[in-house]
Amino acid sequence: MSATPAAAKEDATGWTLVIHGGAGIIERDRVTPEQEVAVRTGMNAALDAGTAVLKQGGSAMDAVEAAIRVLEDDPNFNAGRGAVYTWDGRNELDASIMDGRTRDAGAVAGVGVVRHPISLARAVMEHSPHVMLSGKGAEEFAREQKLEIVPPGWFGTERRREQLDRLRGNDKLSWFDIDLKYGTVGAVARDAQGHVAAATSTGGLTGKRWDRIGDSPIIGAGTYADDRACAVSATGAGEYFIREGVAHEICARVRFTGETLKQAADAVMAEVKDLGGTGGVILTGPTGEMAWSFNTPGMYRAKVSADTPRIVEMYEEE
């Protein structure tokens, strides 16, 4: 991550940070007290990591990467350690990151040995001529960049293995409802210089086959950032988010129609629902506006800014 700007250290004001840890059937009677504590603890730890960057005048890019790295190490979310299993019993990880200042972006898909896919996505953006790398090539690039490599088994957990076993053993379950929620993680931020950034990381769908790739690593679908509009990270049924171009669509509405972030997000998420898709988005903008929108019974979500206390929520009614 880049060095903290010295000038910004003196007056790190106006920053914002919003994160998510997935959306879906997240209801009080489906979540144990232990699970709730673990999720809220993880969300707070991610906010701590991103906030530490922003309070020191660091960049939005550094903040979203820092927050995502914490969530990638937390087995309570479907990203990095704790990622879901493919049909063949592997963990295939996707991630993307985008800088609203320059609209530079990087993404990776189908990687299995890189501890922090979000850092690999950033390396693709900063140290390659490309936007997206996948599979073995992305892993080779990670080794060249000296990113941390771990054994494939490092990502797996017993809970995720049980989810795969349930899917395999019940032909009435669909690809999208095995866990009734999408644990993709995301972060968006505005820094003291007024620039925005977005980042998203996921393990995809339980039981996914044929090297399936969802919206999370696709710039404009699961991730988008533009200083002229906003920064967006999405979670949900990825095929629908790809078809709607959710993240870019929201930014375009903000930029060209003058809608607030909340208005634009609600409108696009309603269109996703009309297509048959479920999920949610988090947003922040260059003015410091923060918002989220979801069409599911809950979404793991949290926000904080230089001027407002943190909020950590899980359920629709909060």
Side-chain angles (χ1 to χ4, degrees):
M1 293 185 284
S2 62
T4 301
K9 281 185 179 181
E10 300 173 5
D11 185 26
T13 60
W15 58 263
T16 62
L17 176 64
V18 190
I19 65 175
H20 72 73
I25 310 298
I26 300 169
E27 299 171 322
R28 294 184 190 275
D29 61 355
R30 292 177 179 268
V31 180
T32 68
E34 294 78 13
Q35 288 172 331
E36 179 169 341
V37 168
V39 167
R40 291 186 187 273
T41 299
M43 298 287 279
N44 274 298
L47 283 181
D48 288 343
T51 296
V53 173
L54 294 166
K55 279 185 174 180
Q56 293 298 313
S59 70
M61 285 286 290
D62 285 352
V64 296
E65 182 185 4
I68 294 292
R69 284 171 63 95
V70 169
L71 295 171
E72 286 177 336
D73 276 347
D74 190 326
N76 292 288
F77 304 95
N78 176 22
R81 190 158 188 248
V84 300
Y85 283 97
T86 68
W87 186 264
D88 296 324
R90 300 190 306 273
N91 304 112
E92 294 179 353
L93 312 173
D94 308 330
S96 62
I97 193 167
M98 187 166 184
D99 187 342
R101 181 178 62 89
T102 60
R103 280 175 286 154
D104 287 337
V108 294
V111 297
V113 296
V114 182
R115 178 173 177 178
H116 291 293
I118 197 64
S119 296
L120 177 54
R122 186 168 182 179
V124 171
M125 184 190 88
E126 294 180 339
H127 303 299
S128 87
H130 309 300
V131 170
M132 180 184 284
L133 299 180
S134 67
K136 298 301 182 184
E139 293 171 356
E140 179 183 351
F141 180 74
R143 291 184 175 92
E144 291 178 2
Q145 295 298 309
K146 296 181 170 42
L147 297 181
E148 185 174 359
I149 303 299
V150 294
W154 189 88
F155 300 101
T157 64
E158 186 59 33
R159 180 169 69 96
R160 297 303 192 189
R161 172 61 72 174
E162 290 172 357
Q163 290 171 358
L164 176 61
D165 292 341
R166 289 206 314 274
L167 178 65
R168 284 172 161 175
N170 188 341
D171 58 11
K172 292 183 172 60
L173 288 171
S174 80
W175 302 106
F176 293 103
D177 67 11
I178 179 62
D179 195 34
L180 302 175
K181 59 181 178 289
Y182 315 105
T184 294
V185 303
V188 295
R190 176 202 188 269
D191 58 34
Q193 294 75 48
H195 303 304
V196 298
T200 311
S201 183
T202 190
L205 291 176
T206 297
K208 62 184 179 181
R209 302 178 74 175
W210 312 298
D211 294 333
R212 176 262 186 190
I213 297 170
D215 65 304
S216 295
I218 298 179
I219 301 303
T223 304
Y224 201 75
D226 185 343
D227 275 4
R228 300 170 298 178
C230 60
V232 182
S233 174
T235 176
E239 280 70 10
Y240 298 94
F241 283 70
I242 295 170
R243 290 164 57 192
E244 180 69 14
V246 164
H248 184 271
E249 185 85 351
I250 291 171
C251 287
R253 292 182 74 108
V254 171
R255 183 180 172 202
F256 295 116
T257 72
E259 290 179 338
T260 67
L261 302 192
K262 179 65 171 171
Q263 288 170 336
D266 285 348
V268 173
M269 287 308 301
E271 293 181 358
V272 170
K273 187 174 182 179
D274 288 343
L275 289 175
T278 58
V281 292
I282 55 170
L283 313 89
T284 196
T287 64
E289 184 181 359
M290 298 181 287
W292 47 55
S293 179
F294 52 97
N295 60 20
T296 55
M299 181 167 77
Y300 300 145
R301 59 203 187 273
K303 63 182 178 179
V304 66
S305 77
D307 307 310
T308 58
R310 68 175 56 190
I311 295 172
V312 179
E313 297 179 346
M314 295 173 57
Y315 308 111
E316 183 178 21
E317 67 272 16
E318 288 187 84

Coordinates of all heavy atoms in Angstrom, one line a residue, residues 84-151:
V84 N -16.5 -20.4 0.0 CA -17.3 -21.6 -0.3 C -16.6 -22.6 -1.2 O -15.6 -22.1 -1.9 CB -18.7 -21.3 -0.9 CG1 -19.5 -20.4 0.0 CG2 -18.5 -20.6 -2.3
Y85 N -17.0 -23.8 -1.3 CA -16.4 -24.8 -2.2 C -17.1 -24.9 -3.5 O -18.3 -24.7 -3.6 CB -16.5 -26.2 -1.5 CG -15.5 -26.4 -0.4 CD1 -15.8 -26.2 0.9 CD2 -14.2 -26.8 -0.7 CE1 -14.9 -26.5 1.9 CE2 -13.3 -27.0 0.3 CZ -13.6 -26.9 1.6 OH -12.7 -27.1 2.6
T86 N -16.3 -25.1 -4.5 CA -16.9 -25.5 -5.9 C -17.5 -26.9 -5.8 O -17.3 -27.6 -4.9 CB -15.8 -25.4 -7.0 OG1 -14.9 -26.5 -6.7 CG2 -15.1 -24.1 -6.9
W87 N -18.1 -27.3 -6.9 CA -18.7 -28.6 -7.0 C -17.6 -29.7 -6.8 O -17.8 -30.8 -6.2 CB -19.4 -28.8 -8.3 CG -20.1 -30.1 -8.4 CD1 -19.7 -31.3 -9.0 CD2 -21.4 -30.4 -8.0 NE1 -20.6 -32.3 -9.0 CE2 -21.7 -31.8 -8.3 CE3 -22.4 -29.7 -7.3 CZ2 -22.9 -32.4 -8.0 CZ3 -23.6 -30.3 -7.0 CH2 -23.8 -31.7 -7.3
D88 N -16.4 -29.4 -7.3 CA -15.3 -30.3 -7.2 C -14.5 -30.2 -6.0 O -13.4 -30.8 -5.8 CB -14.4 -30.1 -8.4 CG -15.1 -30.4 -9.8 OD1 -15.9 -31.3 -9.8 OD2 -14.8 -29.6 -10.7
G89 N -15.0 -29.4 -5.0 CA -14.3 -29.4 -3.7 C -13.1 -28.4 -3.6 O -12.2 -28.6 -2.8
R90 N -13.1 -27.4 -4.5 CA -12.0 -26.4 -4.4 C -12.5 -25.1 -4.0 O -13.7 -24.9 -3.9 CB -11.3 -26.3 -5.8 CG -10.7 -27.6 -6.4 CD -9.9 -27.2 -7.6 NE -10.6 -26.5 -8.6 CZ -11.4 -27.1 -9.6 NH1 -11.5 -28.4 -9.6 NH2 -12.1 -26.3 -10.5
N91 N -11.6 -24.2 -3.6 CA -11.9 -22.8 -3.4 C -11.4 -22.0 -4.5 O -10.2 -22.0 -4.8 CB -11.3 -22.3 -2.0 CG -11.7 -23.2 -0.9 OD1 -10.9 -23.9 -0.3 ND2 -13.0 -23.1 -0.5
E92 N -12.3 -21.3 -5.2 CA -11.9 -20.4 -6.3 C -12.3 -19.0 -6.0 O -13.5 -18.7 -5.8 CB -12.6 -20.9 -7.6 CG -12.1 -22.2 -8.1 CD -12.8 -22.7 -9.4 OE1 -13.7 -22.1 -9.8 OE2 -12.4 -23.8 -9.9
L93 N -11.3 -18.1 -5.9 CA -11.5 -16.8 -5.4 C -11.5 -15.7 -6.5 O -10.7 -15.8 -7.4 CB -10.5 -16.5 -4.3 CG -10.3 -17.6 -3.3 CD1 -9.1 -17.3 -2.4 CD2 -11.5 -17.8 -2.5
D94 N -12.4 -14.7 -6.3 CA -12.5 -13.6 -7.3 C -12.4 -12.3 -6.5 O -12.8 -12.2 -5.4 CB -13.8 -13.6 -8.0 CG -14.1 -14.9 -8.7 OD1 -13.2 -15.6 -9.1 OD2 -15.3 -15.2 -8.8
A95 N -11.8 -11.2 -7.1 CA -11.7 -9.9 -6.5 C -11.5 -8.8 -7.5 O -11.0 -9.1 -8.6 CB -10.6 -9.9 -5.4
S96 N -11.9 -7.6 -7.1 CA -11.6 -6.5 -8.0 C -11.5 -5.2 -7.1 O -12.0 -5.1 -6.0 CB -12.7 -6.3 -9.0 OG -14.0 -6.0 -8.4
I97 N -10.8 -4.2 -7.7 CA -10.6 -2.9 -7.0 C -10.6 -1.8 -8.1 O -10.1 -2.1 -9.2 CB -9.3 -3.0 -6.2 CG1 -9.2 -1.8 -5.2 CG2 -8.1 -3.1 -7.1 CD1 -8.1 -1.9 -4.2
M98 N -11.1 -0.6 -7.7 CA -11.1 0.5 -8.7 C -10.8 1.8 -8.0 O -11.4 2.1 -7.0 CB -12.4 0.5 -9.5 CG -12.5 1.5 -10.6 SD -13.9 1.2 -11.7 CE -13.6 2.4 -13.0
D99 N -10.0 2.6 -8.7 CA -9.6 3.9 -8.2 C -10.5 5.0 -8.9 O -10.4 5.2 -10.1 CB -8.2 4.2 -8.5 CG -7.6 5.4 -7.9 OD1 -8.4 6.3 -7.6 OD2 -6.4 5.6 -7.8
G100 N -11.4 5.7 -8.1 CA -12.2 6.7 -8.7 C -11.5 7.9 -9.3 O -12.1 8.6 -10.1
R101 N -10.3 8.1 -8.8 CA -9.6 9.3 -9.3 C -9.2 9.2 -10.7 O -9.3 10.1 -11.5 CB -8.3 9.5 -8.4 CG -7.5 10.7 -8.8 CD -6.3 10.8 -7.8 NE -5.4 9.6 -7.8 CZ -4.4 9.5 -8.7 NH1 -4.1 10.5 -9.5 NH2 -3.7 8.4 -8.7
T102 N -8.7 8.0 -11.1 CA -8.2 7.7 -12.4 C -9.0 6.8 -13.3 O -8.8 6.6 -14.5 CB -6.8 7.1 -12.4 OG1 -6.8 5.9 -11.6 CG2 -5.8 8.1 -11.6
R103 N -9.9 6.1 -12.6 CA -10.7 5.0 -13.1 C -9.8 3.8 -13.6 O -10.2 3.0 -14.5 CB -11.6 5.4 -14.2 CG -12.9 6.0 -13.7 CD -13.8 6.6 -14.8 NE -13.2 7.9 -15.3 CZ -13.5 8.3 -16.5 NH1 -14.2 7.7 -17.3 NH2 -12.9 9.5 -16.9
D104 N -8.6 3.7 -13.0 CA -7.8 2.5 -13.1 C -8.5 1.4 -12.3 O -9.1 1.6 -11.3 CB -6.4 2.7 -12.6 CG -5.6 3.6 -13.5 OD1 -5.9 3.7 -14.7 OD2 -4.6 4.2 -13.0
A105 N -8.3 0.2 -12.8 CA -9.0 -1.0 -12.1 C -8.2 -2.2 -12.3 O -7.4 -2.4 -13.3 CB -10.4 -1.2 -12.7
G106 N -8.3 -3.2 -11.4 CA -7.7 -4.5 -11.5 C -8.6 -5.5 -10.9 O -9.4 -5.3 -10.0
A107 N -8.5 -6.7 -11.5 CA -9.4 -7.8 -11.1 C -8.7 -9.2 -11.3 O -7.9 -9.3 -12.2 CB -10.7 -7.8 -11.8
V108 N -9.1 -10.2 -10.5 CA -8.7 -11.5 -10.7 C -9.9 -12.5 -10.5 O -10.8 -12.2 -9.8 CB -7.6 -11.9 -9.6 CG1 -6.3 -11.1 -9.9 CG2 -8.0 -11.7 -8.2
A109 N -9.8 -13.6 -11.2 CA -10.9 -14.6 -11.1 C -10.3 -16.0 -11.0 O -9.3 -16.3 -11.7 CB -11.8 -14.5 -12.3
G110 N -10.9 -16.8 -10.2 CA -10.6 -18.3 -10.2 C -9.2 -18.5 -9.6 O -8.5 -19.5 -10.1
V111 N -8.7 -17.8 -8.6 CA -7.4 -18.0 -8.0 C -7.6 -18.9 -6.8 O -8.6 -18.8 -6.1 CB -6.7 -16.7 -7.7 CG1 -6.4 -16.0 -9.0 CG2 -7.4 -15.9 -6.7
G112 N -6.6 -19.7 -6.4 CA -6.8 -20.6 -5.4 C -5.7 -20.7 -4.3 O -5.8 -21.4 -3.4
V113 N -4.6 -20.0 -4.5 CA -3.5 -20.1 -3.6 C -3.0 -18.7 -3.1 O -2.0 -18.7 -2.4 CB -2.3 -20.8 -4.2 CG1 -2.7 -22.3 -4.6 CG2 -1.8 -20.1 -5.5
V114 N -3.7 -17.7 -3.4 CA -3.3 -16.3 -3.0 C -4.1 -15.9 -1.8 O -5.3 -15.8 -1.8 CB -3.5 -15.3 -4.1 CG1 -3.0 -13.9 -3.7 CG2 -2.8 -15.8 -5.4
R115 N -3.4 -15.6 -0.7 CA -4.1 -15.4 0.6 C -5.0 -14.2 0.5 O -6.1 -14.2 1.0 CB -3.0 -15.1 1.7 CG -3.7 -14.8 3.0 CD -2.7 -14.7 4.2 NE -3.3 -14.3 5.4 CZ -2.7 -14.2 6.6 NH1 -1.4 -14.5 6.7 NH2 -3.4 -13.8 7.7
H116 N -4.5 -13.1 -0.2 CA -5.4 -11.9 -0.3 C -5.6 -11.6 -1.8 O -4.9 -10.8 -2.4 CB -4.7 -10.7 0.4 CG -4.6 -10.9 1.9 ND1 -5.8 -10.9 2.7 CD2 -3.6 -11.1 2.7 CE1 -5.4 -11.0 3.9 NE2 -4.1 -11.2 4.0
P117 N -6.7 -12.1 -2.3 CA -7.0 -11.8 -3.7 C -7.2 -10.3 -4.0 O -6.9 -9.9 -5.1 CB -8.3 -12.6 -3.9 CG -8.3 -13.7 -2.9 CD -7.6 -13.1 -1.7
I118 N -7.6 -9.5 -3.0 CA -7.8 -8.1 -3.3 C -6.5 -7.4 -3.5 O -6.4 -6.5 -4.4 CB -8.6 -7.4 -2.1 CG1 -9.1 -6.1 -2.5 CG2 -7.7 -7.3 -0.9 CD1 -10.1 -6.1 -3.6
S119 N -5.4 -7.9 -2.8 CA -4.1 -7.3 -3.1 C -3.6 -7.7 -4.4 O -2.8 -7.0 -5.1 CB -3.1 -7.7 -2.0 OG -3.6 -7.2 -0.7
L120 N -3.9 -8.9 -4.9 CA -3.5 -9.4 -6.2 C -4.3 -8.5 -7.3 O -3.7 -8.1 -8.3 CB -3.9 -10.8 -6.4 CG -3.6 -11.4 -7.8 CD1 -2.1 -11.2 -8.2 CD2 -3.9 -12.9 -7.8
A121 N -5.5 -8.2 -7.0 CA -6.3 -7.4 -8.0 C -5.6 -6.0 -8.1 O -5.5 -5.5 -9.2 CB -7.7 -7.2 -7.5
R122 N -5.2 -5.5 -7.0 CA -4.5 -4.2 -7.0 C -3.2 -4.3 -7.7 O -2.8 -3.3 -8.5 CB -4.3 -3.6 -5.6 CG -3.8 -2.2 -5.6 CD -3.8 -1.6 -4.2 NE -3.3 -0.2 -4.3 CZ -3.3 0.7 -3.3 NH1 -3.7 0.3 -2.1 NH2 -2.8 1.9 -3.4
A123 N -2.5 -5.4 -7.5 CA -1.2 -5.5 -8.2 C -1.4 -5.6 -9.7 O -0.6 -5.1 -10.5 CB -0.5 -6.8 -7.7
V124 N -2.5 -6.3 -10.2 CA -2.8 -6.3 -11.6 C -3.0 -4.9 -12.1 O -2.6 -4.5 -13.2 CB -4.1 -7.2 -11.8 CG1 -4.6 -7.0 -13.3 CG2 -3.8 -8.6 -11.5
M125 N -3.7 -4.1 -11.3 CA -4.0 -2.7 -11.7 C -2.7 -1.9 -11.8 O -2.5 -1.1 -12.8 CB -4.9 -2.0 -10.7 CG -5.3 -0.6 -11.1 SD -6.2 0.3 -9.8 CE -4.8 0.9 -8.9
E126 N -1.8 -2.0 -10.9 CA -0.7 -1.2 -10.7 C 0.6 -1.7 -11.4 O 1.5 -0.9 -11.8 CB -0.3 -0.9 -9.3 CG -1.4 -0.1 -8.5 CD -1.1 0.1 -7.1 OE1 -0.3 -0.7 -6.5 OE2 -1.7 1.0 -6.5
H127 N 0.7 -3.0 -11.7 CA 1.9 -3.5 -12.1 C 1.8 -4.4 -13.4 O 2.7 -5.2 -13.7 CB 2.6 -4.4 -11.0 CG 2.9 -3.6 -9.8 ND1 3.7 -2.4 -9.8 CD2 2.4 -3.7 -8.5 CE1 3.7 -1.9 -8.5 NE2 2.9 -2.7 -7.8
S128 N 0.7 -4.3 -14.0 CA 0.5 -5.0 -15.3 C -0.2 -4.1 -16.3 O -0.9 -3.1 -15.9 CB -0.3 -6.3 -15.1 OG -1.7 -6.1 -15.2
P129 N -0.2 -4.4 -17.6 CA -0.9 -3.6 -18.5 C -2.4 -4.0 -18.7 O -3.1 -3.5 -19.5 CB -0.2 -3.9 -19.9 CG 0.3 -5.3 -19.7 CD 0.6 -5.5 -18.2
H130 N -2.9 -4.9 -17.8 CA -4.2 -5.5 -17.9 C -5.1 -5.1 -16.8 O -4.7 -4.5 -15.8 CB -4.1 -7.1 -18.0 CG -3.1 -7.6 -19.0 ND1 -3.2 -7.3 -20.3 CD2 -2.0 -8.3 -18.8 CE1 -2.2 -7.8 -21.0 NE2 -1.4 -8.5 -20.1
V131 N -6.4 -5.4 -17.0 CA -7.4 -5.2 -16.0 C -7.8 -6.5 -15.2 O -7.9 -6.5 -14.0 CB -8.7 -4.5 -16.6 CG1 -9.8 -4.5 -15.5 CG2 -8.4 -3.1 -17.1
M132 N -7.9 -7.6 -15.9 CA -8.3 -8.8 -15.3 C -7.4 -10.0 -15.7 O -7.1 -10.2 -16.9 CB -9.7 -9.2 -15.6 CG -10.2 -10.5 -15.0 SD -11.9 -11.0 -15.5 CE -12.9 -9.8 -14.6
L133 N -6.9 -10.8 -14.7 CA -6.2 -12.0 -14.9 C -7.0 -13.1 -14.2 O -7.7 -12.9 -13.3 CB -4.8 -11.9 -14.3 CG -3.9 -10.8 -14.8 CD1 -2.5 -10.9 -14.1 CD2 -3.7 -11.0 -16.3
S134 N -6.8 -14.3 -14.7 CA -7.6 -15.4 -14.1 C -6.7 -16.7 -13.9 O -5.7 -16.8 -14.6 CB -8.8 -15.8 -15.0 OG -8.3 -16.3 -16.3
G135 N -7.2 -17.6 -13.0 CA -6.6 -18.9 -12.9 C -5.1 -19.0 -12.7 O -4.5 -18.2 -11.9
K136 N -4.5 -19.9 -13.4 CA -3.1 -20.2 -13.2 C -2.2 -19.0 -13.5 O -1.2 -18.7 -12.9 CB -2.6 -21.4 -14.0 CG -3.3 -22.7 -13.6 CD -3.1 -23.0 -12.1 CE -3.7 -24.4 -11.8 NZ -3.6 -24.7 -10.3
G137 N -2.6 -18.2 -14.6 CA -1.9 -17.1 -14.9 C -1.9 -16.0 -13.9 O -0.8 -15.4 -13.6
A138 N -3.0 -15.8 -13.2 CA -3.1 -14.8 -12.1 C -2.2 -15.3 -11.0 O -1.6 -14.5 -10.3 CB -4.6 -14.7 -11.7
E139 N -2.2 -16.6 -10.7 CA -1.4 -17.1 -9.6 C 0.1 -16.9 -9.9 O 0.9 -16.6 -9.0 CB -1.7 -18.6 -9.3 CG -3.1 -18.7 -8.8 CD -3.6 -20.2 -8.7 OE1 -2.8 -21.1 -9.1 OE2 -4.7 -20.4 -8.2
E140 N 0.5 -17.2 -11.2 CA 1.9 -17.0 -11.6 C 2.3 -15.5 -11.4 O 3.4 -15.2 -10.9 CB 2.1 -17.4 -13.1 CG 3.5 -17.1 -13.6 CD 3.6 -17.5 -15.1 OE1 2.6 -18.0 -15.6 OE2 4.6 -17.2 -15.6
F141 N 1.4 -14.6 -11.8 CA 1.6 -13.2 -11.6 C 1.8 -12.8 -10.1 O 2.6 -12.0 -9.7 CB 0.5 -12.4 -12.2 CG 0.7 -10.9 -12.1 CD1 1.6 -10.2 -12.9 CD2 -0.1 -10.1 -11.2 CE1 1.7 -8.8 -12.7 CE2 0.0 -8.8 -11.1 CZ 1.0 -8.1 -11.9
A142 N 0.9 -13.5 -9.3 CA 1.0 -13.2 -7.8 C 2.4 -13.6 -7.3 O 3.0 -12.9 -6.4 CB -0.1 -14.0 -7.1
R143 N 2.9 -14.7 -7.7 CA 4.2 -15.2 -7.3 C 5.3 -14.2 -7.8 O 6.2 -13.8 -7.0 CB 4.5 -16.6 -7.8 CG 3.7 -17.6 -7.1 CD 4.1 -19.0 -7.6 NE 3.3 -20.1 -6.9 CZ 2.2 -20.6 -7.3 NH1 1.7 -20.2 -8.5 NH2 1.6 -21.5 -6.6
E144 N 5.2 -13.7 -9.0 CA 6.1 -12.7 -9.5 C 6.1 -11.4 -8.7 O 7.1 -10.8 -8.5 CB 5.8 -12.4 -11.0 CG 6.1 -13.5 -11.9 CD 5.7 -13.2 -13.3 OE1 5.3 -12.0 -13.6 OE2 5.9 -14.1 -14.2
Q145 N 4.9 -11.1 -8.2 CA 4.8 -9.9 -7.4 C 5.1 -10.1 -5.9 O 5.0 -9.2 -5.1 CB 3.3 -9.3 -7.5 CG 3.0 -8.9 -8.9 CD 3.8 -7.7 -9.4 OE1 4.0 -6.7 -8.7 NE2 4.4 -7.8 -10.5
K146 N 5.5 -11.3 -5.6 CA 5.9 -11.7 -4.2 C 4.7 -11.5 -3.2 O 4.9 -11.1 -2.1 CB 7.1 -10.9 -3.8 CG 8.3 -11.3 -4.6 CD 9.6 -10.5 -4.1 CE 10.8 -11.1 -4.8 NZ 10.8 -11.4 -6.2
L147 N 3.5 -11.8 -3.7 CA 2.4 -11.8 -2.8 C 2.3 -13.1 -2.0 O 2.9 -14.1 -2.4 CB 1.1 -11.6 -3.5 CG 0.9 -10.2 -4.3 CD1 -0.4 -10.2 -5.0 CD2 1.1 -9.1 -3.3
E148 N 1.6 -13.1 -0.9 CA 1.6 -14.3 0.0 C 0.9 -15.4 -0.6 O -0.3 -15.3 -1.0 CB 1.0 -13.9 1.4 CG 1.1 -15.1 2.4 CD 0.7 -14.7 3.8 OE1 0.3 -13.6 4.0 OE2 0.7 -15.6 4.6
I149 N 1.5 -16.6 -0.7 CA 1.0 -17.8 -1.3 C 0.7 -18.7 -0.1 O 1.6 -18.9 0.7 CB 1.9 -18.4 -2.3 CG1 2.2 -17.4 -3.5 CG2 1.3 -19.7 -2.9 CD1 1.0 -16.9 -4.2
V150 N -0.4 -19.4 -0.1 CA -0.8 -20.3 0.9 C -1.2 -21.7 0.3 O -1.6 -21.7 -0.9 CB -1.9 -19.8 1.8 CG1 -1.4 -18.6 2.6 CG2 -3.1 -19.5 1.0
P151 N -1.2 -22.8 1.0 CA -1.7 -24.0 0.5 C -3.2 -23.9 0.2 O -3.9 -23.2 0.9 CB -1.4 -25.0 1.6 CG -0.4 -24.4 2.5 CD -0.7 -22.9 2.4

